[in-house]
Amino acid sequence: MKLNATSAVKSLDRGLDILEYVAGCSEPPSFSQLLTSLSIPRSSLFHLLTNLLSRNFLERDPKTERYRLGAEVVEIARKVQRPSLRDQVTPLLHQLSLEVSETCGFYVRVRDSVEVVASAISTQALSYTMKVGMKAPLYAVSAGKIMLSELRPEELSQYLARVTFAPVTPHTVRSKSRLKKEIGKVKATGFAYSREEFTLGITAIATAVRSEAKIHGAINLAVPTARFTRSRDADFREALRRAAQIIANEISREL
């Protein structure tokens, strides 16, 4: 028999009443206590409890047969309280930007592109503006090359088989052999570069943000080429390395 709208809503209300009651009890309640306190018909209460148990919203102690909130309620509460990835990363990017006085960003992979999730813009007069939501081809930007370096050999082969190189600037990678060579360097050093390949006048450097074997994304610095000297390159690497670890720890803490 199909439930009509009224009965469906009533069942939902009763289920929520059960959860609220169990949550408010100082000690796990019994079936008889729920029956008396909530005034739900015995048969309906039995079926509602069965459903809530099967969905892990409730747990029943096998010895006392009393009810307590289940793991699914805790999981939902955790998700509600969890800050967004952008909210987690943005303050840490601002710290990095202040440290090196350059624009920085956090990227995630979206199919054959990377997307800016969060950024911090340099306060210097000559700086690069990195807009949240901006996407770029994997082969054209430093963060994208980091993502490519993380692919398994078969995944990289599949990507190279389908990619079409569009010259974003005169310096953009246009050959698979050159891209494979750059990816090899990224694997060896942990850092990727985009030397005016996406924006003329801007050199970028990126590294991965990961916790053990899991990659969360990539962070980069976008620097006017005139300021990207050899000595600063070493400073950028060290700053990115520290920031990547801090960001990875923050993200992992919320997982």
Side-chain angles (χ1 to χ4, degrees):
M1 180 179 72
K2 293 184 178 180
L3 293 174
N4 59 37
T6 302
S7 62
V9 172
K10 189 172 184 179
S11 294
L12 176 59
D13 281 340
R14 284 175 169 175
L16 294 174
D17 286 342
I18 293 171
L19 292 176
E20 289 178 350
Y21 182 81
V22 172
C25 286
S26 57
E27 297 291 337
S30 65
F31 182 90
S32 296
Q33 187 177 341
L34 290 167
L35 187 65
T36 301
S37 300
L38 297 177
S39 299
I40 299 175
R42 178 180 292 272
S43 176
S44 297
L45 179 60
F46 174 80
H47 289 297
L48 286 167
L49 289 173
T50 300
N51 287 341
L52 291 170
L53 288 168
S54 69
R55 296 287 298 273
N56 294 320
F57 284 99
L58 287 180
E59 295 176 355
R60 183 172 57 188
D61 189 306
K63 293 182 179 179
T64 64
E65 296 188 346
R66 291 176 175 269
Y67 297 87
R68 58 177 176 266
L69 294 180
E72 189 62 27
V73 173
V74 177
E75 179 64 16
I76 290 174
R78 187 177 69 87
K79 290 178 179 178
V80 170
Q81 296 169 358
R82 182 188 302 170
S84 69
L85 184 58
R86 180 181 178 183
D87 290 340
Q88 288 179 264
V89 172
T90 297
L92 303 175
L93 291 179
H94 280 295
Q95 293 178 20
L96 174 60
S97 180
L98 288 172
E99 178 183 349
V100 299
S101 298
E102 301 293 354
T103 293
C104 58
F106 180 84
Y107 293 73
V108 296
R109 182 185 171 193
V110 181
R111 294 181 289 278
D112 287 347
S113 301
V114 282
E115 179 177 337
V116 180
V117 171
S119 66
I121 310 303
S122 167
T123 57
Q124 297 208 57
L126 179 60
S127 63
Y128 180 66
T129 299
M130 194 179 298
K131 296 181 179 180
V132 171
M134 181 190 75
K135 293 182 181 180
L138 293 174
Y139 60 83
V141 293
S142 57
K145 293 175 185 177
I146 289 292
M147 297 303 183
L148 288 173
S149 74
E150 296 288 330
L151 296 180
R152 296 191 299 271
E154 62 272 21
E155 293 176 323
L156 180 59
S157 296
Q158 292 169 2
Y159 170 79
L160 293 173
R162 68 175 179 268
V163 68
T164 299
F165 296 103
V168 185
T169 77
H171 306 288
T172 306
V173 173
R174 300 187 189 184
S175 73
K176 296 178 182 179
S177 59
R178 176 185 161 186
L179 183 57
K180 289 174 69 175
K181 185 176 180 180
E182 288 197 30
I183 292 172
K185 291 181 179 179
V186 175
K187 287 179 177 291
T189 65
F191 294 92
Y193 294 85
S194 176
R195 304 182 188 277
E196 303 193 12
E197 297 165 44
F198 188 70
T199 304
L200 290 175
I202 296 296
T203 296
I205 177 175
T207 195
V209 175
R210 65 159 62 83
S211 301
E212 298 178 351
K214 179 177 176 60
I215 182 165
H216 302 292
I219 54 171
N220 83 335
L221 296 171
V223 184
T225 301
R227 292 203 298 263
F228 204 109
T229 62
R230 180 174 296 180
S231 62
R232 293 203 79 199
D233 186 6
D235 293 338
F236 291 153
R237 286 189 177 210
E238 183 58 31
L240 282 170
R241 186 182 293 110
R242 290 196 304 268
Q245 186 58 61
I246 292 170
I247 292 172
N249 290 342
E250 176 64 20
I251 293 174
S252 298
R253 187 174 64 85
E254 296 293 340
L255 294 179

